[in-house]
């Protein structure tokens, strides 16, 4: 018996990092996974890998930075599988630069991907979950929705918005048996984080400094975040509504 047997899960950002690990884990736990990403090649490659194992995974290419694309993704998932039990909003981007250099286009892009896509995907998914009698939504915030870091102002703001939205929606839809929670990862060893290290003058030193912020002495892994997402997606945390689940190897309590 898988922990997600019979459930349909839409996961965004499945082509890389945490989303890729979550798609594999959710499918292995019995879910029918509708994976969405803008990276067609990597998304199709994941589909081939999971389908070769006999798992139920359907890949859909979309840039989720517009309301129309978000609506289409939810429509396609529901048209393909007839329902939607789990929405895992994971797709995201990061921007590292001094606050005064962040221009309007960059701000719009990071808010569109990290926050507005979550807003619109929830807006499209929740009425369907209401009709079905319930569901689970996992919104990816970050430790940086809770603590701050220089050069991450726009990213912090976008993730703070995700956390506030999550709490507001959790209250509004608790009565409909829809559990809406935020997952707040710390530094996780993914292409996104490696890309951030690579922007430093000395990427090796930047990575070592990142690891030094971790009480566990290492970065987290995508699989470790996927396990917590699985818990939130399963029926186990029946009492969890509007939580900000920090998964960071103890970094934010240091
Ligand atoms: P990643 O870059 O490895 O993967 C992100 C995926 O999202 C990619 O496949 C990318 O193509 C996809 N994506 C980006 N923009 C998209 C768009 N407009 N439409 C569709 N897909 C899009 O990153 P990751 O580290 O796995 O991050 C996953 C999530 O976790 C993000 O929301 C990120 O902000 C969050 N997070 C990551 C860390 C970390 O240290 N890695 C820490 C805290 C939070």
């Amino acid at each position: 018996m898988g922990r997600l047997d019979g459930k349909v899960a839409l996961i965004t950002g499945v082509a890389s990092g945490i989303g890729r690990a979550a798609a594999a884990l959710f499918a292995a736990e019995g879910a029918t996974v509708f994976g969405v990403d803008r990276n067609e090649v990597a998304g199709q490659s994941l589909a081939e890998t999971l389908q070769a194992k006999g798992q139920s995974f359907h890949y859909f290419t979309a840039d989720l930075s517009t309301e129309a694309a978000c609506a289409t993704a939810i429509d396609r998932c529901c048209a393909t599988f007839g329902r939607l039990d789990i929405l895992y909003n994971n797709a995201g981007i990061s921007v590292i630069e001094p606050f005064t250099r962040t221009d309007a286009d960059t701000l719009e892009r990071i808010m569109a991907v990290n926050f507005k896509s979550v807003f619109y995907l929830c807006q499209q998914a929740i009425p369907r979950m209401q009709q079905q009698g319930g569901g689970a939504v996992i919104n990816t915030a970050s430790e940086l929705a809770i603590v701050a870091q220089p050069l991450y102002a726009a990213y912090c703001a976008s993730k703070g918005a995700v956390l506030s939205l999550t709490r507001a929606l959790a209250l509004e839809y608790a009565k409909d048996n829809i559990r809406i929670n935020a997952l707040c990862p710390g530094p996780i060893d993914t292409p996104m984080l490696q890309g951030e290290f690579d922007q430093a003058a000395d990427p090796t030193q930047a990575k070592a400094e990142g690891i030094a912020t971790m009480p566990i002495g290492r970065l987290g892994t995508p699989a470790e975040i996927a396990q917590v997402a699985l818990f939130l997606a399963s029926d186990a945390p029946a009492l969890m509504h509007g939580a900000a689940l920090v998964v960071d190897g103890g970094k934010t309590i240091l």
Side-chain angles (χ1 to χ4, degrees):
M1 286 285 285
R3 279 176 281 179
L4 301 181
D5 278 348
K7 295 190 191 283
V8 173
L10 189 156
I11 307 177
T12 70
V14 292
S16 175
I18 295 166
R20 190 179 176 92
L25 182 63
F26 282 29
E29 287 288 342
T32 294
V33 178
F34 188 89
V36 186
D37 204 289
R38 65 179 172 180
N39 185 335
E40 166 116 41
V41 173
Q44 292 293 2
S45 149
L46 176 65
E48 281 166 26
T49 304
L50 297 184
Q51 287 161 6
K53 291 181 186 167
Q55 290 169 349
S56 184
F57 179 84
H58 181 97
Y59 177 66
F60 181 65
T61 305
D63 180 337
L64 294 165
S65 58
T66 66
E67 180 180 8
C70 293
T72 302
I74 299 285
D75 279 349
R76 286 289 187 92
C77 177
C78 292
T80 307
F81 298 117
R83 58 185 296 116
L84 176 58
D85 303 289
I86 298 156
L87 170 63
Y88 180 10
N89 287 310
N90 164 77
I93 54 173
S94 64
V95 173
I96 313 172
E97 60 189 8
F99 172 62
T100 51
R101 275 198 223 145
T102 300
D103 63 20
D105 285 348
T106 303
L107 178 61
E108 177 50 35
R109 178 83 192 146
I110 197 162
M111 291 306 284
V113 178
N114 288 8
F115 170 64
K116 290 185 190 175
S117 74
V118 177
F119 186 101
Y120 293 129
L121 287 163
C122 285
Q123 209 166 48
Q124 294 290 327
I126 286 170
R128 283 156 162 114
M129 291 178 174
Q130 285 176 303
Q131 284 166 10
Q132 291 169 198
V137 178
I138 303 146
N139 291 333
T140 302
S142 167
E143 49 147 348
L144 295 184
I146 293 162
V147 297
Q149 192 160 320
L151 308 180
Y152 282 81
Y155 183 83
C156 288
S158 70
K159 295 299 189 177
V162 169
L163 187 49
S164 276
L165 175 71
T166 302
R167 289 175 170 148
L169 297 184
L171 266 191
E172 197 164 333
Y173 296 104
K175 64 182 183 320
D176 296 311
N177 190 33
I178 303 174
R179 291 183 304 98
I180 307 174
N181 292 289
L183 211 170
C184 303
I188 309 301
D189 196 0
T190 68
M192 174 189 282
L193 186 59
Q194 187 57 49
E196 294 174 16
F197 293 144
D198 288 344
Q199 287 179 47
D202 183 343
T204 306
Q205 187 190 337
K207 185 168 184 177
E209 286 170 5
I211 291 171
T213 67
M214 299 289 284
I216 58 172
R218 63 171 177 84
L219 301 174
T221 67
E224 288 169 328
I225 299 300
Q227 286 290 346
V228 180
L230 169 64
F231 169 68
L232 289 174
S234 74
D235 293 331
L239 202 57
M240 287 181 71
H241 290 257
L245 205 48
V246 177
V247 187
D248 68 346
K251 176 174 180 263
T252 56
I253 52 165
L254 187 64

